[in-house]
Amino acid sequence: PKVKDEFDEEEEEKKEDGDDIEVSEEEEEKEPEMEEVTTYEYEQINTDPAIWARDKDDITDEEYQEFWKVVSKGDSAGGAEDWTHFNAEGNINFKSILYVPSEVPFALQQGNLEMMRPGLRLYVRKVLISDEFDLMPRYLNFIKGVVDSDDLPLNVNRETLQESKIVKIIKKKLVRKALELIRKMSQQEMPADDETEEAEVDADGNVIVKDDADKKPKVHPYITWYKKFGLSLKMGCIDDSANKDKLQKLLRFKSSKTEGEDEFVSLQEYVDRMKEWQKEIYVFPGESIKQLSESSFMDAFNDRDVEVLYLTDSIDEYFIGNVREFNGVKFRDITKEGVKFSDEDEDLAKRRNKVYADKFSPLTKYLKKLYGADVSRVSISKRLGRAPAIVSSSEWGNSANMDRIMRAQAFAHGVAPGENMMPTGILELNPRHPFVIKLLESIPDDGETDPPQSVKDNAWILLDMATMSGGFPIRDPKKFAARMTRVLKSGLGVESLSLAEEIDPPAEEDLPDEPEFEMPDGFNMEDLNLDDLDMN
């Protein structure tokens, strides 16, 4: 036991001696070096897919209208009139939303097509390529929307993409969809009456029942829209021959049988109610409905109850000149020669015209000699009703309205103001009118004797009347004024045009001048002492 105790003491001493051994700093464990690392966490704010990639049945009208505000960029004051959301499938696949605005864009209101920005955004696999890509023809540049295609390449520039065959196919499909959208707008049913309108009551509190005549007539939404965008559709008939037939069905016109500002007629409706003998669509270009409806050209058509379309837009002349027909029925300008009516016996009409031509041959020859280059021809009219004469245009020449438009061109080069070529129209005489019959009797039988000045003046006044009735301006206003002066002199029995002596009124007594009151130089509020004022 003693030996064991000694052994234990020695072990404890060794342990104590080991604890006293000094350890160097290098042998101590080193602290790890710290490095700053920045990490980013992304939170997706918009978790919804693109609106054009969603099912259209799951999208509300409010969402469509909100997206319209994004694509329109404030170009139009109102909202979207209508829209179409579709997926095009086939050789080329793409998704699209097209909007038709309710109000005319500001640049289009001024007729500045160059300032109209393309309204379609082009995406490729939901990557924006351009927010103003030219995917619509100029007559549909008011269409706004988006197009997203998976078939277009991403790594090409805009110019190359513009010439891509895929883009051309997309353009063709977009135009077809846009026209289909407008066609559906034109075929919508008339909206129901607004039942929320407040009823009027009389003094006794009884509800006043309005008659149908007192109610404001309802206007079809398409008519309201067409009155703003109709010019663009007419331009499309000129520019887009491939879709000309579709565009013509979307047009609306005023006519001799429409009443009010909001009543229009389509070309198909006009054709459906044509007379049985009628073979052409009669059109009448001019400045205003009132002017056209009161024109002498309308006499024969009103007598026969034949409808005539009124063309009051400047583009209508170009439209008729390019289109020329609708569904095989040709347009006929009633201000030009060649207007014929098939409601009478053709053989009787030929015999009657021959007799009139022989009877009035001396008059037509004399008038052509008298007028010279002011008219191209003098003929006996087959269509005049109550007017004595009228000046019409040749079948292939410019109408009076077209002449007015051309003379108003602000950028016409090489023509001095007032020196535009004045058209020479055809003077048509009404053989049944008393003026024409009396003028025939005033012409010398031999054809060589010079008639008196009064006959010449009457003949010229007849031409002046016919010229203005035909819509043409007076060729020589100075000569016109001289003729009218002679007519007034004869009608009023005035012997001389010398001016009367100037009157010499008596001198009036001088009245005293009104006294002048001088105002004080100025008034200083500081000089006013309120204590001196008696306020009692």
Side-chain angles (χ1 to χ4, degrees), residues 472-483:
F472 292 97
I474 297 297
R475 299 181 67 88
D476 195 335
K478 186 176 181 179
K479 292 182 179 179
F480 172 75
R483 287 192 292 270

Side-chain angles (χ1 to χ4, degrees), residues 362-379 388-391 424-429 435-436 439 443 454-467 475-476 479 483:
L363 179 60
T364 56
K365 291 180 180 179
Y366 170 75
L367 293 180
K368 178 57 179 133
K369 181 179 178 181
L370 177 66
Y371 299 146
D374 286 354
V375 295
S376 61
R377 188 170 73 250
V378 180
S379 63
I390 201 166
V391 173
T424 54
I426 301 170
L427 177 62
E428 298 185 17
L429 301 176
F435 287 175
V436 178
L439 195 58
I443 301 300
S454 60
V455 176
K456 293 181 180 179
D457 286 341
N458 292 334
W460 277 106
I461 292 174
L462 180 67
L463 176 62
D464 294 335
M465 292 170 52
T467 300
R475 299 181 67 88
D476 195 335
K479 292 182 179 179
R483 287 192 292 270

